[in-house]
Amino acid sequence: MRSSMLSERVRAQLAGLAVAGLDLPTYARSALDALTRAVPFAAACFATADPATGLVTGTVKTGGLSDARDEEWAHYEYEVPDPSAFVEVVRRPGGVLALGTDTGGRPELSPRFGELIRPTWHFDDELRAALRTEGGTWGFLALFRDGPGAAFTVAEQEFVSGVGAALAGGLRAGILASAAVAAVRVDGPAVLVVDEHGEVVSASVGAAARVDDLGGGVLGRAPLPLALLALVAAARQCARDADPAVPKVRLRTRSGAWVVAHASRLLSRSGATSDVVLTIEEARPPEIVPLVVAAFGLTAREQEVVALVLQGVDTTGIAGALHLSAYTVQDHLKAVFAKVGVRSRRELIARVFHDQYAPNLAARAPLAPSGWFADAGTPAVPAPRSPAVGSAPLA
C-alpha cells in the first residue's frame, strides 16, 4: 500500500471520475489508471453487471488480458463451485477478497485460478471486489499480480473495499453517458441455440444483427459476447441444480438501445440435452425503466416519487400515495431534477424514456396495441383522426 497522502489523492480522484459523466470504457480505463497508483497491479478486469441478477454484462481488460478465454472463464465463474466466485464475493464483509489471503497462500485452490488464470497468464495472486452502491451491485473488479511480493495486503483489500461505492457509482453513471444512435431494427426476438461445445448450431433471422450490436463477431465464426456466454453458463448450472429460474440480463447495445437476453436449457423429447436456447429481444419499459431510474443515483424515496410521476400522478396524488406533504413531494422532485439534469416533469419523463424511444421515433416506427413500437407484421395503432384534418402519422 502506498503512502496515506497518495491513497487519499487516489480516493478523491476516483470520487471525481464517478461523477464526470464518462462513458463506460473511458470511465473504466481512467479509474484503473488512478487505482493502480494506490494498489499496483499487473492486469485488471473491470466488469459491469445487471444489478437485478448480478450476471456480468461486459468487461474492460488491461495488462494482456483478452476476450479469447471468455467462454472458459464463464464456465468456471458460473458452473464450477468456488468460494471466490463473484456471487460469493458479494456476500463477503466489505465485498472484497484476495485469493492469497483467503487460501493461506495457495490461490491455486480456486479452480478458476488454478486451472485457467495461472496456466494462461502466470499470475500469482488475484484481488476480487463486488462494486456496490445504495444496495445494488453494478459491477465487479479483478486485479492480478505476479512475481515476488505479489500477494495483496490486508490494507490494499481495505482500500479497494473503501472505494468500491465510488467505482460502482461510476459504472452506474456510465450506462447513461452514451447517446443513442440509429437503432438496429430486428423483427421479433432473436433466437440462438448453443450446443455443449459453445457453438451456435442454429439461429433465427436477425440473430446475427443482434449479436453484432452487442459487440460480437461474425456469428458462428467468433465467440459470443461475454454477457451471452455468462447467460449460457448460468442456464446450464440452473439445469444441473433443477432450478426453474431463467437467467436474464438487460444489456445496452453499441447502437445505444436496450435489449433483454435470457437463456434456458433446450429440452429434447427424451428430456436429455445440453443445448441452451438464447433469446434476445428489445427491452420494454417495465424492464428497463427501473434500471435507468436507479442509474441516476436516486434515493429509495426519490425513486418512488419518480415511479408515480411516470404514471402521470400529480403532486397531490403523490403526497397521498406516499403519506407525505405536498411540500415534501416538491422537495423530492427538486432533488430528482437536479440529479437527472432536467427542469420539469415533462423533461424528466423524456429523459427516462429517451434512450429507448428516441431511435424508434426517429425511424417513425408505428405503435402496437401494447403501446410499444410495432415489429413488422404487428398491427399498429391507428393514428388519431381529427374531423377537420383527417389522419396523421404518429411521430
Side-chain angles (χ1 to χ4, degrees):
M1 189 71 183
R2 302 298 175 90
S3 70
S4 59
M5 185 176 297
L6 175 60
S7 298
E8 288 309 308
R9 286 203 299 267
V10 171
R11 192 186 304 273
Q13 187 176 1
L14 291 173
L17 287 170
V19 296
L22 302 175
D23 62 83
L24 282 171
T26 303
Y27 169 72
R29 293 188 178 91
S30 299
L32 290 174
D33 286 344
L35 183 61
T36 194
R37 295 167 57 211
V39 183
F41 51 84
C45 178
F46 209 156
T48 55
D50 186 329
T53 62
L55 290 174
V56 167
T57 57
T59 60
V60 173
K61 304 182 180 80
T62 68
L65 298 178
S66 69
D67 299 340
R69 310 300 290 270
D70 279 353
E71 185 173 354
E72 292 171 81
W73 178 87
H75 165 72
Y76 282 105
E77 188 68 37
Y78 295 106
E79 298 186 66
V80 179
D82 188 338
S84 68
F86 281 141
V87 68
E88 301 296 336
V89 176
V90 172
R91 303 187 179 104
R92 293 288 186 110
V96 67
L97 69 80
L99 280 177
T101 302
D102 207 54
T103 61
R106 300 178 63 193
E108 67 276 5
L109 293 177
S110 160
R112 179 197 66 264
F113 194 88
E115 298 173 22
L116 175 62
I117 302 298
R118 175 168 280 174
T120 304
W121 292 286
H122 311 293
F123 296 128
D124 295 305
D125 199 9
E126 177 184 8
L127 184 153
R128 309 194 109 200
L131 307 179
R132 297 175 56 82
T133 184
E134 297 170 4
T137 300
W138 293 86
F140 301 98
L141 177 67
L143 306 178
F144 302 93
R145 280 184 184 160
D146 52 13
F152 289 95
T153 67
V154 172
E156 289 171 329
Q157 295 173 55
E158 291 175 348
F159 180 84
V160 173
S161 176
V163 298
L167 294 172
L171 290 178
R172 182 182 64 187
I175 71 170
L176 301 173
S178 299
V181 296
V184 172
R185 295 298 300 168
V186 176
D187 295 333
V191 180
L192 305 91
V193 178
V194 181
D195 68 12
E196 59 183 328
H197 305 295
E199 300 291 333
V200 177
V201 295
S202 60
S204 66
V205 174
R210 284 289 191 207
V211 170
D212 177 72
D213 202 26
L214 289 170
V218 178
L219 192 60
R221 298 182 186 177
L224 292 171
L226 177 58
L228 301 184
L229 294 173
L231 274 177
V232 170
R236 287 178 177 148
Q237 187 58 45
C238 285
R240 281 192 286 270
D241 294 343
D243 185 345
V246 176
K248 179 168 65 173
V249 292
R250 296 161 292 184
L251 301 167
R252 188 83 180 268
T253 68
R254 293 193 302 183
S255 65
W258 287 95
V259 296
V260 173
H262 46 90
S264 60
R265 190 178 67 161
L266 185 64
L267 296 177
S268 64
R269 287 186 177 181
S270 65
T273 179
S274 58
D275 289 354
V276 171
V277 59
L278 273 170
T279 305
I280 309 167
E281 55 191 332
E282 191 168 341
R284 268 45 178 180
E287 296 163 321
I288 207 62
V289 166
L291 177 64
V292 173
V293 170
F296 285 117
L298 308 183
T299 66
R301 178 63 85 185
E302 289 166 354
Q303 291 187 40
E304 291 176 340
V305 171
V306 170
L308 292 171
V309 168
L310 296 178
Q311 295 174 37
V313 181
D314 62 16
T315 298
T316 301
I318 295 173
L322 300 180
H323 305 291
L324 302 172
S325 71
Y327 295 106
T328 301
V329 171
Q330 291 292 355
D331 287 341
H332 284 309
L333 283 172
K334 289 178 182 177
V336 169
F337 292 166
K339 291 180 180 180
V340 179
V342 298
R343 294 173 296 178
S344 68
R345 292 175 183 239
R346 183 184 296 274
E347 289 183 8
L348 172 64
I349 294 170
R351 182 72 174 93
V352 170
F353 285 100
H354 176 268
D355 286 345
Q356 192 69 4
Y357 270 90
N360 291 286
L361 289 172
R364 293 182 177 271
L367 292 179
S370 65
W372 193 238
F373 293 98
D375 296 322
T378 303
V381 174
R385 298 184 63 86
S386 164
V389 179
S391 61
L394 292 175

